[in-house]
Structure formats: structure tokens, C-alpha cells
Amino acid sequence: MIKSLVPPCEGLKVPNAKISGSNQLKSKGLRMELTITQPDDWHLHLRDGDLLKAVVPHSASHFGRAIVMPNLKPPITTTAAAVVYRDAILKALPSDSNFTPLMTLYLTDTTSPDEIKLAKRSGVVFAVKLYPAGATTNSQDGVTDLFGKCLPVLEEMAEQNMPLLVHGEVTDPNVDIFDREKVFIDTVLQPLIQRLPQLKVVMEHITTMDAVKFVESCKEGSVAATVTPQHLLLNRNAIFQGGLQPHNYCLPVLKRETHRQAIVSAVTSGSKRFFLGTDSAPHEKSKKESACGCAGIYNAPVALSLYAKVFEEMGALDKLEAFTSINGPGFYGLPRNTSKIKLSKTSWKVPEAFSFSFGDIIPMFAGNTLEWQPSLI
């Protein structure tokens, strides 16, 4: 079993009559089932080529839609490229899948306002992703001067109601890696919101108490945040306990326990400002376990089980559906999914690895036993 970093509940708190919508918790003898609206993943990496074909079924089996990140090689910087990438994803899906990829553009110093207009008209592109140059995997083509080179694009995005998705870290080597998110908030996000208050912003994969406070201080509906399973369940000790653990290394890097607790409290509070974004990022085992290992945690096969674990331990299962299935569509102005998913309280073991012709991919919590198992109804 996974040793939780969250204080366990004395017992499962069954939702009471205040539950709304389709959220239902049923007990069948000793077995419990939770039925919710099918979730979406508002931050997902699917890669391309053989890796895309290998991993997309794991996301499609649980999620109705996903915001697909554009940091490929080369990156998805135009609407035309986004359409081509979307077609590749659709072709890689199982034949019976209804999964819908929601595409994004990779913001660069040379992105034009006209490209934003084209993206909006396409009906295919739903957001633009800001990677500070050098911040994470395949971010070398990212932005070097947001206000100096991208302001006309940001203004057009505000005009078109196109959200900006932010990898919220500075890349100054003089800033400690554990402080990069806080410094980004102070030096980039706060000035951005003040300058363009009408721009919708998602602070992706938040990791700190500072980010929670920032999001909560902004106008609801204008600034939101996605939260990953790893940042809810793990603190930075998980990277080093029992030796260096490359499969727990991601960017933004895991933080102190106090920050993890603040994020858990935020997402289980019922706030509409926070919603599911796995940041599931597959890499072959050989690239993770190397002299210069890749950042990224592959959690797509286990994400819903882990989110349910967190909400159960906080006595907040009645708020799980809002976080997974309602808050995200509300922020993006999209309809909720009409299909349902069932989470059964039944033990299952995470595979040690997923093996493919090009190599193994190690999932989050490989080899551990989880207690909630999702299935489409």
C-alpha cells in the first residue's frame, strides 16, 4: 500500500444530502462505488510518433477531453500544425474512443496576433501555452521577454477570450530551484494580471502555498490553477528517499510538506478556482534513468485513483466531482461531459512498467496497490 503523506481520516465520511448533480456514493456490502461526471484532463502531454500511440489509450480510457501540451520537437506554434497534431492523436485512439483532444499553441517571441485570430476561428485551438525559455522539457523555443516581445499577442488573446496557460517558473540560474515559482508570481504573473486584467490565465501544475494564495487573491473566473496527483501526494523527500528516485522527478519540482498540505487544502475545499490537470509526461525508462534524466511523471493510468485517494483521506469525496469534472469546463466555457465514470473501492495493483517495442514506461507508484479503480459506465 502507498504510505500517505496526508493525515488519514478516522473513517470514510459519506456525502450527505447536500450533494448535487450526479455525484453518488453507494455501499454494496463492504464495497463502495462513486459515480461522477466523466472528468477531463486540463494539462496533458501526449508526445508524438510511437510514444503517442502507446500512451493515448491510457488517457482516453478515463478522460473525455484533454488540453494537449504543444512542447514537441518542433513545437506546435501555428494553428496549421495544431490541426495536423490533432489528426495524429485521433488516428492513434482506440476505434471505440470518444476522447476529444483540445489543442494549444506554443507561445514564442515571434508569435503574431494574426495567429491568435486564426487559432480562435479554427475551433481546434483552445489556449496558448507560455514556457519561459529553458524552464522544462522542450522549452528551448519558449519566451525570452514576455512584456517586451509578446504584449501584442497577449492583448489579442484577451480580446479573443483565449486563455494563457502558464508554466510558472523563472529560469534565472541565480534563483533557487525551490523558489522559482514564487519569484515568477512576484515578477511576472502579478504584473501581467495588473496590466491585462481581462486576460484569462491558468497557472499550471501549482506546487506552493504562494501559488494557492495568488490564485485565491485573483478574480474568480479570470485566474485558475491545475493541480497534479504528484503535487498532492508527494513532497520533495520522495525524490531522495532510499536513493535518487528519477521517476519522482518533475518540473516544477516537488516542494516542502507545508506546500503540499496547502495545495491539498485548496483543492478539497470546493473552490472553483482549482481543477484537474495531470501533467502526465511519459518518458522511456532509459531516458529517466540516465546521467541527465528527463523531468516528468507518467500518471495517466493512475491519476483518477490517486485524486480519489486524496479526497477520501480529507473527508471530501463529495467535492471530488467538482474538481475533476465541473470546474475545468466552467473556466473554459465548455459544456460538461454527459457520460459518467464509476470509481469502485476495490484494490488493484499498478503495473511495474508498461512495455512497448521502443522501451518501458514506468507509471507513477509502479508496483503499489491502489484502492479506487475507475471505469466508464
Side-chain angles (χ1 to χ4, degrees):
M1 302 296 290
I2 296 172
K3 184 177 180 181
S4 174
L5 293 171
V6 184
C9 299
E10 294 179 359
L12 177 62
K13 296 182 181 179
V14 179
N16 57 29
K18 292 188 291 184
I19 295 176
S20 60
S22 60
N23 194 333
Q24 300 176 13
L25 185 65
K26 299 179 180 179
S27 177
K28 295 184 177 181
L30 295 177
R31 183 178 178 181
M32 290 186 178
E33 293 179 350
L34 178 65
T35 301
I36 61 175
T37 302
Q38 186 180 18
D40 301 303
D41 188 345
W42 299 98
H43 187 116
L44 177 64
H45 297 272
L46 287 176
R47 312 304 189 203
D48 54 6
D50 290 340
L51 191 50
L52 165 63
K53 296 175 184 177
V55 302
V56 70
H58 290 155
S59 293
S61 65
H62 296 157
F63 299 103
R65 297 167 291 197
I67 285 283
V68 180
M69 293 295 108
N71 57 330
L72 304 183
K73 287 185 177 180
I76 306 299
T77 59
T78 66
T79 303
V83 170
V84 172
Y85 186 26
R86 181 179 183 271
D87 289 345
I89 294 169
L90 293 175
K91 289 178 182 178
L93 288 169
S95 58
D96 60 347
S97 176
N98 292 318
F99 177 80
T100 302
L102 309 177
M103 309 312 294
T104 60
L105 297 187
Y106 186 116
L107 185 64
T108 73
D109 290 344
T110 59
T111 302
S112 71
D114 286 341
E115 190 62 54
I116 300 303
K117 294 176 183 177
L118 183 61
K120 184 68 176 182
R121 290 197 301 267
S122 73
V124 168
V125 176
F126 289 82
V128 176
K129 181 65 185 287
L130 165 62
Y131 291 103
T136 189
T137 303
N138 294 344
S139 63
Q140 61 273 13
D141 297 307
V143 171
T144 63
D145 183 357
L146 184 66
F147 295 108
K149 297 181 178 180
C150 299
L151 191 57
V153 171
L154 297 174
E155 291 172 339
E156 187 62 41
M157 288 175 61
E159 180 70 23
Q160 298 291 338
N161 197 32
M162 179 78 72
L164 177 69
L165 315 183
V166 175
H167 182 108
E169 293 188 288
V170 297
T171 56
D172 184 345
N174 294 316
V175 176
D176 188 287
I177 191 170
F178 294 103
D179 297 329
R180 285 171 29 160
E181 186 171 273
K182 182 182 186 306
V183 174
F184 186 90
I185 292 170
D186 295 340
T187 62
V188 180
L189 271 186
Q190 286 281 14
L192 176 62
I193 298 304
Q194 291 170 3
R195 191 159 187 172
L196 288 173
Q198 69 275 35
L199 178 66
K200 297 188 76 167
V201 175
V202 180
M203 191 173 184
E204 302 288 359
H205 42 52
I206 61 169
T207 68
T208 61
M209 184 184 305
D210 308 279
V212 169
K213 291 179 178 178
F214 169 74
V215 172
E216 291 177 340
S217 74
C218 296
K219 180 182 176 182
E220 186 176 285
S222 63
V223 177
T226 58
V227 185
T228 74
Q230 54 265 29
H231 292 111
L232 288 172
L233 278 162
L234 304 175
N235 62 35
R236 64 189 189 180
N237 289 340
I239 307 173
F240 307 107
Q241 286 177 332
L244 190 62
Q245 303 296 325
H247 297 286
N248 289 337
Y249 169 54
C250 59
L251 288 173
V253 71
L254 301 170
K255 302 299 195 300
R256 288 182 180 272
E257 174 64 7
T258 53
H259 292 298
R260 189 198 65 80
Q261 290 179 4
I263 298 169
V264 169
S265 295
V267 302
T268 58
S269 70
S271 171
K272 296 179 181 179
R273 303 170 191 269
F274 305 95
F275 42 86
L276 185 158
T278 65
D279 194 22
S280 184
H283 294 284
E284 297 96 316
K285 179 181 178 181
S286 61
K287 293 183 179 178
K288 291 289 290 181
E289 300 177 3
S290 67
C292 186
C294 297
I297 293 177
Y298 186 56
N299 60 39
V302 298
L304 284 183
S305 299
L306 295 177
Y307 285 124
K309 171 184 172 61
V310 171
F311 277 75
E312 178 187 6
E313 291 180 340
M314 292 297 288
L317 277 175
D318 57 321
K319 297 179 175 67
L320 177 65
E321 183 179 42
F323 174 76
T324 62
S325 314
I326 296 174
N327 297 347
F331 183 86
Y332 277 86
L334 295 172
R336 301 172 189 176
N337 292 320
T338 57
S339 52
K340 308 293 181 185
I341 200 163
K342 179 173 69 178
L343 287 156
S344 302
K345 189 72 182 294
T346 180
S347 297
W348 66 283
K349 189 173 182 180
V350 182
E352 295 284 352
F354 294 100
S355 297
F356 304 100
S357 59
F358 55 81
D360 288 352
I361 301 175
I362 309 298
M364 186 177 178
F365 286 129
N368 283 279
T369 299
L370 302 181
E371 294 184 344
W372 286 97
Q373 190 166 27
S375 59
L376 278 172
I377 297 176

